[in-house]
Amino acid sequence: MLNSIIEMFHSIIGAITGENDRKKIRGTVVLMKKNVLDFTDFRSSIIDRVYELVGKGVSLQLVSAVHDDPTNGLRGKVGKPAYLKGWITTITPSTATAGEESAFKVTFDHDAEIGQPGAFIIRNNHRSEFYLRTLTLADVPGHGRIHFVCNSWVYPAYKYDTDRVFFTNQTYLPSETPGPLRGYRESELVNLRGDGTGELKEWDRVYDYAYYNDLGNPDRHGKYARPVLGGSVEYPYPRRGRTGRPPSETDPNTESRLPLLMSLNIYVPRDERFGHIKMSDFLAYALKALVQFLLPEFEALCDSTPNEFDSFQDVFDLYEGFKVPDGPLLDKIKDNVPLEMLKELVRTDGEGFFKFPTPQVIKEDKSAWRTDKEFAREMLAGLNPVVIRRLKEFPQESKLDPEVYGNQNSSITKEHIENHLDGLTINKALEKKRLFILDHHDTLMPYLRRINTTSTKTYASRTVLFLKDDGTLKPLAIELSLPHPDGDKFGAVSKVYTPAEHGVIEPFVIATNRQLSVLHPINKLLDPHFRDTMNINALARQILINAGGVVESTVYPSKYAMEMSSVVYKNWVFTEQALPADLINRGMAEKDSDAPHGLRLVLDDYPYAVDGLEIWSAIETWVEDYCSFYYKTDEMVEKDSELQSWWKELREEGHGDKKDEPWWPKMHTVKELIDTCTIIIWVASALHAAVNFGQYPYAGFLPNRPTISRRFMPEEGTPEYEELKSNPEKAFLKTITAQLQTLLGISLIEILSRHSSDEVYLGQRDTPEWTLDATPLKAFEKFGRKLADIEENIIKRNGDERFKNRVGPVKMPYTLLYPTSEGGLTGKGIPNSVSI
């Protein structure tokens, strides 16, 4: 009824002014109202109705792509405002389901001086923001259908200093941009860069850089102080997105922190936040609930040996269900955890049972995870298959400075391993490329003294393995080393036991939004691979990797975890993130022009590498097809002003601590552009999937992948050694992650291993009309078909009994590089971006 009155009111005005007689351009706007999401904006809704009543709700003005306005700096002519129709549907706030989009009609006067529209200006006169999806003009005289892809939150106009401008889905290099649109294109990039000052608010659309100086909380207590990561030789680090929060009171170099309850309000540009279906608050509130409400209560669940598992059956009970006593724990959960999270975290079935999903690693066989064969297989097809290297020298030499750390070379000798090489000598085994190593020694040794002052007791380790004739690996020796008790310069004290990697991508996200217009082809290529990355990184800084956060509570480096990641970053080389380069660098492959993908694997049955190379090749072909359409010559790359600014800023600002490294591509050729974009897409999609979504399938059963060691290996003649001999199971459980930390750790990795129901996977786009150019669209379809073929290939290889590393003793097929997946805890699927 109200809509009809408003339409009649507008018709009367149109008849009086003569506007009804002019030629019209009819359009459809698709958007999502804010009050569809929160149901709480009643006051704003009432004000919105007043504006709608006088026809001044949401206005749109077309901008010409062909005719400029001399009075407006030669920018495109701007048409008269047109207003959305039908905003008001009822006098109460919308009761639509969360995430529902609505289509609204809008009618523009046709103006011959506008000609072909290339952009439009939108002004939101309401009091609440809305999510603008698209504008489609049905029949522009002389030009037909014109489509605008927006995908952006539009706040009330009074929040902005400049107009919100959106462009058609046409793609332009900077030099090819129609003259009337250039000013708008340039101004939009200036707005996105900001001015580097002030605290940023949710409606700000600013992408800027900052050091990782927000992990510590010295105002809480000195023990929560942490070093600034980035901007120094000692602690180099990629840059994060700037929030502009004031410094802490205690340390001017440390940014103040938000209270835990305000975690979801940490600044990232609104368009980078999780979508509603992804349940952004699930991640934050679930972790908050675990830390703040559940953790103290879990202590009541410990039995006669508090904080310890008495047997492996105690661990298995976590997946078979155990009764949570009525009382404070369940009350605390019900009072503080929203309903949908209750199902995920507590899985109550009405009987008060607490239960985790059974990890795949113990689903088929509860004991196979303990075998040497499975231990070795998971280095090739497990949670982290990107560390193992081919051993090229024996014994392994350390790269630590001997002036500081003394002799840190491996103490594994010929006598330790030569009897287990199937008749080969060590030299022959090296020559035949059959010795491999998992080497964590040099990374850990400089930190061991400090780490071992905490409750963690750990070693710097090296594990040497042998490639058997059947293609599987056999562990030969494990070396555990500690700093010398008399000082670092005396070297390591080692014992040998024989058998009876969301941070580097964020600078790319920031630089892309600051320097590459939405009209730019490389922006359109990379944008899906940056989805949600800034948001997940911001939440991680707030509640996961911060001082005293969940990671410090559940992994072995404790308070030194992030500091150690800075040490690892010192050795980070962008070009070595390419899968072929990584495999060659680790000695796991050699160049061979006659082999598939130009590489011959040293170890044929290496599931991560075999599947990964197919994915890498498909990405590379897609990127080459796409870039070659827009860049016909190397000169076009060199003369692309936005591209060159993007690459310069990425190196000098985003990865500023690495700006002088000689290995950065110069960005002078089409090949350098293709290689760079392929690496970015690979790291953000397939590499992340390979090391992230296996967390729960492999490490959800924590004895398989303990995150903490609480005791050193027992010395012969001690009570601990006798316990190890008499009850090795209990001794092992006393050494690894404690009961309380296990519950917290399993809960965390379960959340981090889940796909959201609206996940967009490699080879997919959430906006079909993301470009108007037919050739790139066809190339993208070809990419999608290739990925489907690869998935079929992986399924066939997993069923081939010749490949013993693909399934292993635990009977768990390697699925982490399946391109697609359904939502949930699946252990497969490659999302487009680092989004969890």
Side-chain angles (χ1 to χ4, degrees), residues 167 181-191 193 642:
F167 300 92
L181 296 181
R182 286 181 186 171
Y184 292 103
R185 177 175 183 154
E186 293 164 1
S187 293
E188 179 71 356
L189 289 173
V190 169
N191 294 335
R193 292 173 199 144
E642 286 185 10

Side-chain angles (χ1 to χ4, degrees), residues 30 34 94 124 127 147 271 326 370 419 441 573 597 612 683 685 718 723 732 768 779 804:
V30 177
K34 179 197 174 189
S94 170
N124 175 11
R127 311 304 290 180
H147 188 64
D271 292 345
D326 291 330
R370 304 170 70 165
N419 289 336
H441 182 97
V573 177
H597 320 296
V683 171
S685 59
T718 64
E723 182 182 47
F732 176 67
K804 301 185 184 303

Side-chain angles (χ1 to χ4, degrees), residues 526-577:
L526 297 180
D527 180 69
H529 304 289
F530 298 151
R531 180 191 190 211
D532 296 336
T533 298
M534 289 188 71
N535 199 110
I536 190 64
N537 285 357
L539 285 174
R541 298 196 314 272
Q542 180 65 16
I543 57 179
L544 286 182
I545 60 176
N546 58 298
V550 179
V551 168
E552 289 193 356
S553 302
T554 58
V555 299
Y556 71 89
S558 187
K559 63 183 287 187
Y560 303 105
M562 289 304 294
E563 191 176 322
M564 282 183 62
S565 71
S566 170
V567 174
V568 173
Y569 179 66
K570 287 181 180 180
N571 297 317
W572 182 81
V573 177
F574 174 73
T575 50
E576 290 180 1
Q577 307 311 301

Side-chain angles (χ1 to χ4, degrees), residues 67-366:
H67 300 300
D68 55 45
D69 183 353
T71 66
N72 188 25
L74 297 179
R75 295 185 179 206
K77 280 184 171 291
V78 179
K80 292 183 178 179
Y83 295 88
L84 290 191
K85 299 176 182 178
W87 185 273
I88 300 173
T89 56
T90 173
I91 196 65
T92 57
S94 170
T95 55
T97 57
E100 182 176 323
E101 295 176 346
S102 303
F104 297 87
K105 299 299 182 184
V106 61
T107 303
F108 300 90
D109 287 335
H110 174 246
D111 185 345
E113 292 190 1
I114 297 293
Q116 180 183 357
F120 71 91
I121 295 170
I122 189 166
R123 187 176 181 85
N124 175 11
N125 294 307
H126 292 152
R127 311 304 290 180
S128 298
E129 68 270 26
F130 56 80
Y131 186 75
L132 181 61
R133 177 71 73 183
T134 59
L135 164 64
T136 305
L137 304 180
D139 190 10
V140 178
H143 302 285
R145 181 178 179 274
I146 296 180
H147 188 64
F148 299 80
V149 176
C150 307
N151 290 335
S152 182
W153 285 93
V154 178
Y155 276 77
Y158 70 87
K159 299 283 191 184
Y160 297 126
D161 295 328
T162 57
D163 290 328
R164 290 300 311 273
V165 178
F166 294 93
F167 300 92
T168 67
N169 61 342
Q170 182 64 60
T171 304
Y172 297 109
L173 294 175
S175 61
E176 297 171 349
T177 308
L181 296 181
R182 286 181 186 171
Y184 292 103
R185 177 175 183 154
E186 293 164 1
S187 293
E188 179 71 356
L189 289 173
V190 169
N191 294 335
L192 292 172
R193 292 173 199 144
D195 61 8
T197 64
E199 183 171 355
L200 297 170
K201 305 299 182 183
E202 64 174 277
W203 53 84
D204 287 319
R205 303 169 54 241
V206 171
Y207 295 78
D208 203 356
Y209 301 98
Y211 300 136
Y212 274 69
N213 65 344
D214 61 343
L215 303 178
N217 190 0
D219 288 350
R220 179 181 176 189
H221 191 279
K223 69 179 181 179
Y224 295 108
R226 296 292 181 271
V228 174
L229 303 184
S232 67
V233 174
E234 185 178 8
Y235 299 118
Y237 217 66
R239 305 300 185 256
R240 63 172 176 90
R242 186 178 76 85
T243 68
R245 294 199 304 271
S248 65
E249 295 178 6
T250 310
D251 179 7
N253 293 318
T254 297
E255 187 170 276
S256 58
R257 292 185 55 78
L258 290 176
L260 189 62
L261 289 173
M262 300 293 288
S263 293
L264 284 179
N265 293 336
I266 188 169
Y267 174 78
V268 292
R270 182 65 189 272
D271 292 345
E272 301 296 335
R273 290 197 178 191
F274 291 152
H276 48 284
I277 299 176
K278 194 175 179 70
M279 298 196 320
S280 59
D281 54 349
F282 169 72
L283 175 65
Y285 280 122
L287 296 177
K288 181 180 68 180
L290 286 164
V291 176
Q292 186 165 325
F293 303 119
L294 304 188
L295 186 55
E297 301 291 342
F298 274 133
E299 293 172 356
L301 302 179
C302 299
D303 53 22
S304 58
T305 52
N307 210 24
E308 298 290 350
F309 291 108
D310 292 322
S311 67
F312 282 133
Q313 187 57 49
D314 283 355
V315 185
F316 291 133
D317 286 345
L318 296 177
Y319 315 104
E320 295 165 4
F322 62 90
K323 189 77 165 65
V324 178
D326 291 330
L329 175 59
L330 282 182
D331 292 342
K332 188 80 77 170
I333 293 172
K334 291 173 183 176
D335 290 345
N336 294 288
V337 183
L339 178 61
E340 67 273 15
M341 298 157 207
L342 190 64
K343 289 188 289 186
E344 296 297 330
L345 288 169
V346 184
R347 289 172 201 83
T348 177
D349 58 2
E351 298 298 325
F353 277 94
F354 189 97
K355 183 179 179 181
F356 289 100
T358 303
Q360 288 171 265
V361 76
I362 57 168
K363 189 168 283 186
E364 299 296 329
D365 189 321
K366 287 186 177 180

Side-chain angles (χ1 to χ4, degrees), residues 488-514:
D488 288 347
K489 65 181 181 180
F490 292 98
V493 177
S494 302
K495 289 191 176 181
V496 177
Y497 296 85
T498 55
E501 236 187 332
H502 284 238
V504 297
I505 287 294
E506 186 164 357
F508 290 88
V509 182
I510 300 171
T512 300
N513 282 279
R514 286 167 57 88

